[in-house]
Amino acid sequence: MNGGGDAEVASPAGPPQSLEWKFSQVFGERTAGEEVQEVDIISAIEFDKTGDHLATGDRGGRVVLFERTDTRHHGFRRDLERMDNPISRHPEFRYKTEFQSHEPEFDYLKSLEIEEKINKIRWCQTANSALFLLSTNDKTIKFWKVQEKKVKKICEMNVDPSRVGNGNVASSSVTAGVKPYLANGVCPERSYNYLSNDFAFSPGGIPSLHLPVVVASHETSLVAKCRRIYAHAHDYHINSISNNSDGETFISADDLRINLWNLEISNQSFNIVDVKPANMEDLTEVITSAEFHPTHCNMLAYSSSKGSIRLIDLRQSALCDNHTKLFEEQEAPGSRSFFTEIIASISDIKFGKNGRYILSRDYMTLKLWDINMDAGPVATFQVHEYLRPKLCDLYENDSIFDKFECCLSGDGLRVATGSYSNLFRVFGVMSGSTEASTLEASKNPMRRQVQTPSRPSRSLSSLTRVVRRGADSPGVDTNGNAFDFTTKLLHLAWHPTENSIACAAANSLYMYYA
Amino acid sequence: MAMIDEPLYPIAVLIDELKNEDIQLRLNSIRRLSTIARALGEERTRKELIPFLSENNDDDDEVLLAMAEELGVFVPYVGGVEYANILLPPLETLCTVEETCVRDKAVESLCRIGAQMKESDLVEWFIPLVKRLAAGEWFTARVSSCGLFHIAYPSAPEMLKTELRSIYSQLCQDDMPMVRRSAASNLGKFAATVEPTHLKTDIMSIFEDLTQDDQDSVRLLAVEGCAALGKLLEPQDCVAHILPVIVNFSQDKSWRVRYMVANQLYELCEAVGPEPTRTDLVPAYVRLLRDNEAEVRIAAAGKVTKFCRILNPQLAIQHILPCVKELSSDSSQHVRSALASVIMGMAPILGKDATIEQLLPIFLSLLKDEFPDVRLNIISKLDQVNQVIGIDLLSQSLLPAIVELAEDRHWRVRLAIIEYIPLLASQLGVGFFDDKLGALCMQWLEDKVYSIRDAAANNLKRLAEEFGPDWTMQHIIPQVLEMANNPHYLYRMTILNAISLLAPVMGSDITCSKLLQVVTNASKDRVPNIKFNVAKVLQSLIPIVDQSVVEQTIRPCLVELSEDPDVDVRFFARQALQTSEQVMMSS
């Protein structure tokens, strides 16, 4: 059941079985009683296209990279894994490097503080051994190159550094890329002026001169370098960035506008969607998320706070205020309440790998849309229906505005999204599939399996019991229902080729496999 | 550590700094690589410096870029063309780096070196390099390889040529759009080196694949290929193979592709020749002029005149003119603006009658456009129409347009129209100017914005040059002098500025009799800014007027100012006095 290629093989035999999720790894696990630092809370997770790398961003503006340690054999059908044989291999990651991507800033013109929190990370095409990624906070997108560099030592200079007494001299061997250092302590200006009177060199050259000898050691160091900064193009907060399949452009979306950039040009972008009304009092809808189609370079989708998804075709016009397709669900008559509009707001959309399906997450549900069918979603999954009676409380404490992300498996057979109490849910999307697992971001993910999605009322009580047991779930609300709204699992990502999920519980990164 | 002789010290430092921590110093050393090479001698450059540079491939991009550039002109330092192949390995590595500008430079340098290499060396060294890059694991190498085929191909033996063509065709089908883009944009150069027989078969089939690429960004580049390939093909082949592609592109789903067609249309017409242009490209162009997307119409509208020039007037009147009429009331101001900037050029092409009958109404409606850029664009090209139909027919509409622009609330618009006033004056003639525009020119001198006042003063000078001193004496000087007593010092300053500009044009007599007195009066002004500007103006008048006038009028005035309580006034007065003394001594 693993891997995209196997999907077609497995499906004719009926809906795939529910996956047995197992704990794989945790990074930054909290010890009992440890206070979580605000800056350490993870705010973005993203696998790269191959699944060999994983990046997380946090509220402190840092980006942490992980790399896969188990070697993978491409080209082998994973027959072993498809059978019931115990799976011996699953993706394992190790910490690779981290760097400070964004710093807190202050916009003096608008008297606004700009948080350093990383809103989104997107991987770009790797070239050579270097990794490239885009990271963004509310206002500024940055393009990073992370590259291994061999540590080199330089010896045998022409000019003996000790001979020059300017005091500006360090040792004769230096490791690359640390601190500025003058080998000779001589003012460079002077030496070049000296040379410009062009003295005659003998045709054979000067034997006493030699090139510095570089001794490369086996040690390598990872260097992250910011290559480009795409700034000053967004009046509102950036909620998404997305790479185009053409490999040269990407989009960035804020509440009211979507801009198109060329990766190589950081000083101009093109506005392609602008939903800002002439009069801000007429504002009824904002952009909440945007993503490029995975293969068609001209298509992109964006979601709105009113629960609609618009598909636009960049070929049609320069300014794409008119959508090509609109996906929205007609609300059932009579079901309208004060919260209807709030919970309809889509917090995240993702294209499936082949680009046919779009997964959207609103407050209560996950919806899967077929881009060829705009009448309504092909499937709807209730994420935490038992919260419906408590919407009022959720509104009171602002939890109703939490933005949960969602993800699809590489084979498109399953979808996942987060909930409260560090729970996340995995659903099978194949018709006939009843798979609906609830997992907890902890070392024992399956302990929430007792509840069944078909009977929400019972599951709520069982949940209550379970959660009370947990030492790290403090909140018990006034009704005595312990459901911890502060531990919410907002960010998670599915490995592109295998059944492996990375999810963020506050400052900890949990990884599971099946 | 070797002890270095004193004269060698700088070069030793230069060499050491190839590995300095400070990127600026490394960059400096790399930029002086030729000096280092000469110091080492040709042999050691080949054996030591080049291998050293080859290993230096993980340096910062700025350094790599400089290195790629230097290596391109390095042939003399390695011992001439027979050793040129030594330079290929470091450049090959640079062709694979991630930064586009470094790769581009490395490719450029490789081409430069390859162009000098002997045929046998190319076969032995250069072609294998191209093949290695084209088979590179990372897309960066494959992207670079596309730009080298046109150097490698001509000297390859027949077998190898076949192979190179097939490699290129694979590159055009690469998985990575970046590679296909590079292949598409280099196709023209490569095709120019391919034999006509293969051009018609291999290259054309590669080209057709590119024109049907899924990625808009690849098809975009294929549009340019149309013009390049069209020029290489026989006319009949061009009509058979290129023309249909252009017509298809002009109806592409993607507006960016159509935009490219609109932009390139003139070149495409040249490629296919006059007859197919008339039969096939005119309809295509008409479609582009009526495109849904404003960007496409902007590009197409901007080419109207150029396109009409290659048609005969009848066709232009019959097919293009109706579209032009529609465009003149287009919903997008940018389309109208693009049209306005070229439409006047159609007058000479269509001739007098058609211009009066057809174009004039369009001119007039554009002159009344709500968007100032459109009106300005029309006015700026007035001379082109004047030659054909004279100005009279337009002048009645021109005046309100000019007046409105002259009073526009955006100062940049006012500035633009001031800059066209001398052109207008020359086209409209003195009579029209006196009646209508003279007052405006004076009005600008009292504008709220400095740039406008400054431009207005300069405008007076240009008018004086255009119409001569006599006219200026009558129509400009009196009004200017009247304003010299304006209660606001900034306006008085503008007048001083205008005087200093007008004086050289008016000559010594008028300056002495009319202008000088105003300046000396101003030296009694209560505002120091005026006074030191007086000093500056007087300084500029010294070379114009007679020595006696300097002695009798200017110097006493300056001496007085040089004892002013204000430090700036004293400074400029003394500066002017010094100048006057120098002039005296030299005469």
Side-chain angles (χ1 to χ4, degrees):
Chain A
M1 257 176 275
N2 292 350
D6 296 7
E8 291 81 29
V9 186
S11 48
Q17 295 172 338
S18 291
L19 293 173
E20 180 82 1
W21 288 94
K22 297 180 194 68
F23 171 76
S24 164
Q25 283 174 294
V26 58
F27 294 95
E29 191 188 17
R30 237 188 315 164
T31 51
E34 185 192 332
E35 192 83 5
V36 180
Q37 296 294 312
E38 167 86 7
V39 289
D40 291 335
I41 293 176
I42 295 173
S43 55
I45 301 184
E46 187 78 7
F47 279 106
D48 75 345
K49 218 161 70 181
T50 59
D52 290 343
H53 294 93
L54 173 68
T56 64
D58 64 26
R59 294 200 183 180
R62 284 162 301 191
V63 171
V64 184
L65 303 187
F66 300 89
E67 68 184 342
R68 199 166 165 175
T69 54
D70 54 318
T71 47
R72 301 194 313 153
H73 307 282
H74 291 283
F76 276 88
R77 301 292 283 184
R78 298 186 206 94
D79 298 303
L80 280 175
E81 292 175 36
R82 194 141 49 96
M83 306 318 293
D84 281 336
N85 297 346
I87 300 160
S88 53
R89 263 183 335 99
H90 61 268
E92 271 191 33
F93 285 79
R94 70 167 166 234
Y95 169 87
K96 188 177 168 81
T97 187
E98 69 175 84
F99 55 90
Q100 188 73 37
S101 169
H102 287 75
E103 303 271 3
E105 281 175 85
F106 191 79
D107 183 337
Y108 293 96
L109 287 178
K110 294 182 184 151
S111 267
L112 267 182
E113 258 183 82
I114 303 169
E115 282 184 3
E116 67 271 35
K117 177 185 154 216
I118 305 292
N119 287 347
K120 280 277 160 31
I121 295 175
R122 286 290 178 266
W123 290 87
C124 302
Q125 191 63 52
T126 34
N128 303 343
S129 56
L131 301 172
F132 290 90
L133 47 85
L134 288 168
S135 63
T136 186
N137 66 355
D138 284 340
K139 295 285 177 190
T140 308
I141 306 153
K142 294 186 179 179
F143 184 51
W144 291 91
K145 169 177 165 184
V146 182
Q147 195 177 25
E148 251 173 31
K149 284 204 171 175
K150 284 215 173 81
V151 177
K152 287 180 178 171
K153 295 199 165 189
I154 297 148
C155 45
E156 293 199 43
M157 311 291 268
N158 286 301
V159 181
D160 186 352
S162 60
R163 219 192 69 171
V164 192
N166 273 15
N168 198 2
V169 177
S171 67
S172 60
S173 62
V174 203
T175 41
V178 193
K179 54 183 182 234
Y181 152 83
L182 279 173
N184 42 55
V186 173
C187 165
E189 280 313 312
R190 204 188 78 196
S191 59
Y192 296 124
N193 291 340
Y194 214 142
L195 272 175
S196 53
N197 350 324
D198 228 18
F199 43 78
F201 297 114
S202 65
I206 302 154
S208 60
L209 289 173
H210 60 83
L211 292 163
V213 177
V214 180
V215 186
S217 72
H218 293 293
E219 283 174 66
T220 55
S221 66
L222 276 165
V223 183
K225 218 177 156 189
C226 182
R227 298 314 317 274
R228 270 176 265 278
I229 297 176
Y230 313 89
H232 312 303
H234 285 279
D235 287 336
Y236 305 91
H237 288 182
I238 299 174
N239 53 45
S240 327
I241 44 178
S242 174
N243 296 92
N244 193 348
S245 58
D246 68 8
E248 68 171 354
T249 54
F250 71 93
I251 48 165
S252 57
D254 67 23
D255 296 340
L256 297 178
R257 296 192 178 100
I258 302 178
N259 291 335
L260 179 71
W261 302 82
N262 187 312
L263 274 167
E264 307 215 330
I265 302 166
S266 57
N267 59 3
Q268 63 172 358
S269 66
F270 295 95
N271 179 237
I272 49 175
V273 176
D274 187 348
V275 301
K276 188 178 175 181
N279 182 357
M280 278 301 262
E281 280 165 21
D282 301 334
L283 184 69
T284 56
E285 191 172 17
V286 297
I287 298 169
T288 54
S289 171
E291 192 173 47
F292 259 120
H293 189 280
T295 53
H296 294 314
C297 62
N298 53 297
M299 273 216 272
L300 69 92
Y302 69 91
S303 61
S304 83
S305 57
K306 273 193 166 171
S308 54
I309 301 169
R310 289 176 174 84
L311 197 64
I312 60 175
D313 187 347
L314 293 178
R315 294 186 298 193
Q316 279 185 339
S317 61
L319 194 61
C320 300
D321 287 345
N322 296 318
H323 54 264
T324 311
K325 273 188 175 176
L326 174 69
F327 304 91
E328 60 188 351
E329 194 167 31
Q330 300 306 319
E331 61 184 82
S335 66
R336 224 186 137 71
S337 75
F338 173 73
F339 301 110
T340 310
E341 262 192 37
I342 301 173
I343 62 171
S345 175
I346 293 177
S347 51
D348 191 25
I349 54 167
K350 291 275 160 62
F351 270 103
K353 208 178 200 177
N354 62 12
R356 167 131 186 223
Y357 295 99
I358 299 173
L359 180 69
S360 72
R361 169 71 205 259
D362 54 44
Y363 192 62
M364 296 303 286
T365 67
L366 264 182
K367 291 192 176 87
L368 191 71
W369 307 78
D370 184 335
I371 62 168
N372 299 323
M373 187 177 100
D374 46 11
V378 287
T380 302
F381 307 98
Q382 312 293 347
V383 179
H384 37 214
E385 200 54 23
Y386 43 83
L387 291 181
R388 204 172 278 278
K390 305 168 71 67
L391 285 174
C392 213
D393 299 340
L394 291 161
Y395 180 75
E396 291 284 312
N397 64 15
D398 275 354
S399 293
I400 204 165
F401 301 106
D402 285 338
K403 296 186 132 220
F404 290 97
E405 289 180 2
C406 58
C407 58
L408 291 106
S409 65
D411 54 20
L413 297 179
R414 292 181 181 80
V415 295
T417 192
S419 176
Y420 293 100
S421 301
N422 280 345
L423 296 181
F424 66 98
R425 307 213 54 195
V426 179
F427 300 97
V429 300
M430 295 288 294
S431 56
S433 169
T434 54
E435 182 176 0
S437 324
T438 304
L439 299 116
E440 184 189 33
S442 72
K443 284 189 172 171
N444 180 13
M446 297 301 266
R447 65 172 164 153
R448 299 301 170 87
Q449 275 302 297
V450 280
Q451 64 155 320
T452 49
S454 52
R455 281 179 289 180
S457 55
R458 221 196 86 188
S459 70
L460 181 60
S461 57
S462 68
L463 250 170
T464 313
R465 186 161 38 76
V466 176
V467 171
R468 271 184 187 152
R469 201 190 59 204
D472 55 342
S473 43
V476 177
D477 73 15
T478 46
N479 298 331
N481 292 329
F483 202 82
D484 189 357
F485 299 128
T486 58
T487 55
K488 47 201 171 198
L489 197 153
L490 299 176
H491 309 284
L492 79 176
W494 202 302
H495 191 281
T497 55
E498 303 196 22
N499 281 330
S500 170
I501 291 180
C503 56
N507 61 338
S508 314
L509 177 69
Y510 285 93
M511 317 242 333
Y512 301 97
Y513 71 98
Chain B
M1 303 282 165
M3 292 300 282
I4 300 294
D5 299 336
E6 212 47 59
L8 286 181
Y9 191 75
I11 183 82
V13 168
L14 196 62
I15 293 177
D16 284 351
E17 282 174 357
L18 281 172
K19 281 289 170 191
N20 199 288
E21 284 298 317
D22 185 345
I23 181 174
Q24 275 315 319
L25 297 182
R26 289 206 303 280
L27 259 179
N28 270 323
S29 281
I30 289 283
R31 295 237 168 82
R32 316 233 10 191
L33 217 47
S34 55
T35 311
I36 295 176
R38 284 194 299 140
L40 291 172
E42 291 171 359
E43 193 179 339
R44 291 184 66 203
T45 297
R46 291 195 297 270
K47 291 201 174 134
E48 294 173 30
L49 182 61
I50 300 299
F52 172 83
L53 294 175
S54 302
E55 290 193 356
N56 195 31
N57 56 10
D58 65 345
D59 209 328
D60 286 309
D61 295 321
E62 292 87 334
V63 177
L64 295 182
L65 181 67
M67 191 160 105
E69 187 164 11
E70 291 299 324
L71 288 174
V73 292
F74 227 58
V75 173
Y77 307 110
V78 292
V81 174
E82 57 264 47
Y83 292 107
N85 60 291
I86 297 282
L87 295 171
L88 301 186
L91 285 169
E92 182 176 349
T93 333
L94 292 177
C95 277
T96 65
V97 300
E98 310 83 46
E99 186 60 36
T100 316
C101 61
V102 177
R103 289 202 308 269
D104 289 350
K105 191 54 87 179
V107 167
E108 192 187 313
S109 290
L110 274 175
C111 288
R112 187 178 285 184
I113 294 168
Q116 304 168 49
M117 283 168 77
K118 281 188 300 194
E119 202 159 282
S120 58
D121 286 348
L122 279 169
V123 175
E124 192 177 349
W125 306 102
F126 199 88
I127 295 176
L129 174 145
V130 175
K131 282 163 67 179
R132 274 196 304 277
L133 287 174
E137 184 192 356
W138 297 101
F139 75 90
T140 47
R142 303 201 295 276
V143 164
S144 298
S145 73
C146 297
L148 298 170
F149 276 75
H150 68 286
I151 301 289
Y153 189 82
S155 38
E158 205 48 50
M159 282 286 287
L160 216 44
K161 281 190 172 172
T162 314
E163 196 186 344
L164 285 176
R165 287 196 305 273
S166 95
I167 293 175
Y168 203 89
S169 138
Q170 280 161 26
L171 288 169
C172 290
Q173 293 161 29
D174 199 281
D175 283 344
M176 289 292 211
M178 297 81 146
V179 180
R180 301 204 299 275
R181 277 199 291 274
S182 177
S185 53
N186 283 295
L187 186 66
K189 265 191 284 178
F190 178 47
T193 65
V194 173
E195 301 78 359
T197 46
H198 300 303
L199 184 65
K200 271 205 259 180
T201 52
D202 295 8
I203 299 294
M204 284 315 292
S205 87
I206 291 177
F207 176 66
E208 261 158 47
D209 287 344
L210 287 174
T211 60
Q212 283 155 26
D213 201 283
D214 282 343
Q215 291 276 346
D216 296 353
S217 53
V218 178
R219 290 203 308 282
L220 276 184
L221 296 167
V223 175
E224 286 177 44
C226 287
L229 286 176
K231 282 171 188 157
L232 298 172
L233 288 168
E234 304 275 320
Q236 69 271 23
D237 291 328
C238 182
V239 171
H241 299 292
I242 303 287
L243 191 60
V245 175
I246 299 174
V247 173
N248 270 341
F249 272 154
S250 73
Q251 300 171 69
D252 196 280
K253 268 194 210 160
S254 166
W255 69 267
R256 287 168 66 200
V257 174
R258 300 196 303 271
Y259 173 86
M260 279 302 269
V261 175
N263 248 340
Q264 296 267 315
L265 199 74
Y266 184 71
E267 286 73 19
L268 297 173
C269 292
E270 274 188 336
V272 298
E275 192 46 44
T277 295
R278 262 168 237 145
T279 53
D280 294 276
L281 291 188
V282 169
Y285 185 59
V286 167
R287 270 196 303 274
L288 292 172
L289 286 171
R290 293 182 168 146
D291 201 278
N292 282 330
E293 173 54 45
E295 296 287 337
V296 178
R297 294 198 304 275
I298 292 171
K303 304 281 174 187
V304 156
T305 300
K306 232 178 160 191
F307 191 81
C308 286
R309 209 169 283 152
I310 52 176
L311 298 178
N312 59 43
Q314 287 87 355
L315 274 175
I317 292 169
Q318 193 184 341
H319 296 287
I320 308 296
L321 212 52
C323 301
V324 169
K325 265 182 208 154
E326 290 168 27
L327 288 177
S328 69
S329 53
D330 196 279
S331 57
S332 159
Q333 58 187 35
H334 303 290
V335 173
R336 300 196 304 272
S337 175
L339 181 72
S341 69
V342 297
I343 193 176
M344 305 302 261
M346 284 181 77
I349 299 166
L350 298 188
K352 190 173 176 180
D353 293 342
T355 300
I356 293 175
E357 203 176 308
Q358 313 269 0
L359 283 178
L360 197 59
I362 300 175
F363 296 158
L364 296 179
S365 88
L366 289 172
L367 263 181
K368 295 188 186 99
D369 200 280
E370 56 179 351
F371 186 54
D373 269 15
V374 178
R375 284 172 270 153
L376 277 173
N377 282 343
I378 289 285
I379 288 172
S380 69
K381 300 282 166 57
L382 213 56
D383 47 334
Q384 291 171 333
V385 178
N386 199 10
Q387 291 157 9
V388 184
I389 57 166
I391 208 73
D392 299 344
L393 287 166
L394 267 179
S395 55
Q396 288 317 308
S397 302
L398 262 176
L399 190 68
I402 295 167
V403 170
E404 207 176 311
L405 287 167
E407 287 161 358
D408 197 282
R409 62 193 178 86
H410 295 291
W411 66 269
R412 281 174 203 281
V413 174
R414 298 200 297 274
L415 186 63
I417 189 71
I418 292 176
E419 270 156 18
Y420 292 129
I421 287 291
L423 170 85
L424 283 170
S426 70
Q427 298 295 321
L428 295 167
V430 174
F432 185 85
F433 186 87
D434 285 348
D435 294 347
K436 326 277 183 194
L437 297 182
L440 276 178
C441 294
M442 294 302 145
Q443 187 185 318
W444 283 319
L445 284 173
E446 293 180 339
D447 200 279
K448 282 193 292 253
V449 177
Y450 169 76
S451 296
I452 300 297
R453 297 196 300 272
D454 191 47
N458 211 26
N459 176 45
L460 294 183
K461 179 191 120 188
R462 288 169 68 189
L463 286 174
E465 284 166 349
E466 177 74 35
F467 294 142
D470 290 343
W471 177 87
T472 313
M473 258 319 282
Q474 266 194 328
H475 295 95
I476 291 195
I477 303 287
Q479 285 95 321
V480 169
L481 297 187
E482 234 168 71
M483 289 155 96
N485 296 319
N486 193 301
H488 199 303
Y489 87 98
L490 283 175
Y491 299 137
R492 296 200 296 278
M493 210 141 83
T494 309
I495 298 306
L496 281 177
N497 184 21
I499 289 174
S500 77
L501 288 166
L502 283 169
V505 185
M506 302 306 288
S508 169
D509 286 351
I510 296 177
T511 303
C512 296
S513 61
K514 291 276 175 186
L515 304 178
L516 191 56
Q517 203 198 344
V518 179
V519 181
T520 48
N521 285 348
S523 73
K524 310 268 188 319
D525 204 287
R526 64 197 153 80
V527 181
N529 288 34
I530 296 289
K531 287 193 277 190
F532 75 66
N533 273 296
V534 167
K536 284 187 192 170
V537 173
L538 288 176
Q539 184 177 356
S540 75
L541 295 183
I542 290 168
I544 300 168
V545 298
D546 256 14
Q547 194 58 51
S548 56
V549 180
V550 175
E551 283 302 316
Q552 287 162 14
T553 322
I554 294 184
R555 278 185 65 88
C557 183
L558 284 172
V559 168
E560 197 176 312
L561 286 174
S562 70
E563 281 149 18
D564 196 89
D566 188 274
V567 61
D568 293 319
V569 178
R570 291 200 303 275
F571 172 81
F572 285 106
R574 280 180 200 142
Q575 204 176 44
L577 279 171
Q578 268 174 7
T579 317
S580 76
E581 277 153 22
Q582 279 161 8
V583 171
M584 264 196 294
M585 279 197 289
S586 62
S587 61

